[in-house]
Amino acid sequence: DQQVKQNSPSLSVQEGRISILNCDYTNSMFDYFLWYKKYPAEGPTFLISISSIKDKNEDGRFTVFLNKSAKHLSLHIVPSQPGDSAVYFCAAVYSGGGADGLTFGKGTHLIIQP
Amino acid sequence: DTGVSQNPRHKITKRGQNVTFRCDPISEHNRLYWYRQTLGQGPEFLTYFQNEAQLEKSRLLSDRFSAERPKGSFSTLEIQRTEQGDSAMYLCASSNTGIPGEKLFFGSGTQLSVL
């Protein structure tokens, strides 16, 4: 049973436009959410995170929105750049759980077109 | 280079053989994690250490898998009697304080292919 779901395997966006990546979760105990970016042959790199007590966190071109009632979060990238082409993973963690390893979604492959 | 280092980058082995991977975390990080990623999936948590203590193991970690971090620095992950289903990317990550939601720093992984 997937607790973190990214239902779009891929997304194509024109350079300069907004990219919106979506993530849904089922475990209401999750209290921290993180986005990672992964290039081929490299490990994931951290992008941005949000605590469940907030509904928005912004860092430069990246903004994460959290809707707790819908158990949904999204990552907005504005403006999209060619270097943003990568696989983006949504991840969640319950800080009070025994294992504080992250639970990842399957990822969304973002393709920025010139 | 002060990032997380993993060796080897690639490993090809025959079914039934044993393999061992190494991870060198960022030097001041006391938490070390192992994840496994298969094609089309996100990374799956396997186990983690705080210093030399292995504090949690996922049910994904069968008896054929063993991880160690003897001096609280580098870690090894051994798979005995490998099976084709073990083929995956094995990722190591480290973190500093263990504060909830703290970001993990990942290595580039070891790609295992079991023939």
Side-chain angles (χ1 to χ4, degrees), chain B residues 32-93:
Chain B
L32 186 148
Y33 303 77
W34 285 99
Y35 284 80
R36 179 176 70 186
Q37 184 179 13
T38 52
L39 201 61
Q41 303 292 320
E44 296 172 297
F45 170 75
L46 292 178
T47 188
Y48 88 94
F49 293 83
Q50 182 164 336
N51 300 313
E52 64 275 11
Q54 188 174 16
L55 296 185
E56 194 73 26
K57 292 195 287 188
S58 162
R59 54 187 160 84
L60 292 175
L61 214 64
S62 77
D63 291 344
R64 296 183 297 104
F65 288 68
S66 62
E68 293 183 344
R69 194 182 183 198
K71 297 183 180 178
S73 56
F74 73 91
S75 175
T76 57
L77 178 67
E78 181 184 16
I79 309 174
Q80 296 183 327
R81 306 180 304 282
T82 52
E83 301 173 355
Q84 288 185 326
D86 297 332
S87 296
M89 172 74 80
Y90 290 84
L91 293 162
C92 176

Side-chain angles (χ1 to χ4, degrees), chain B residues 4-32:
Chain B
V4 177
S5 176
Q6 290 189 248
N7 289 288
R9 290 294 305 272
H10 303 276
K11 179 70 178 177
I12 300 173
T13 190
K14 292 183 179 178
R15 190 175 52 187
Q17 298 293 306
N18 298 344
V19 294
T20 300
F21 312 138
R22 176 178 169 127
C23 171
D24 289 87
I26 293 172
S27 58
E28 63 269 24
H29 285 184
N30 57 21
R31 288 193 166 209
L32 186 148

Side-chain angles (χ1 to χ4, degrees), chain A residues 2 31-32 34 36 38 41-46 49 89 93 95 98-107, chain B residues 9 31 33 35 37 40-45 48 56 89 91 98 100-109:
Chain A
Q2 270 225 302
D31 52 1
Y32 287 89
L34 303 90
Y36 281 80
K38 186 180 184 302
E42 295 183 12
T45 55
F46 171 80
S49 64
F89 291 100
V93 63
S95 60
D100 57 358
L102 297 169
T103 300
F104 284 84
K106 292 186 178 184
Chain B
R9 290 294 305 272
R31 288 193 166 209
Y33 303 77
Y35 284 80
Q37 184 179 13
Q41 303 292 320
E44 296 172 297
F45 170 75
Y48 88 94
E56 194 73 26
M89 172 74 80
L91 293 162
E102 180 191 28
K103 62 184 181 182
L104 303 185
F105 293 82
F106 283 86
S108 296

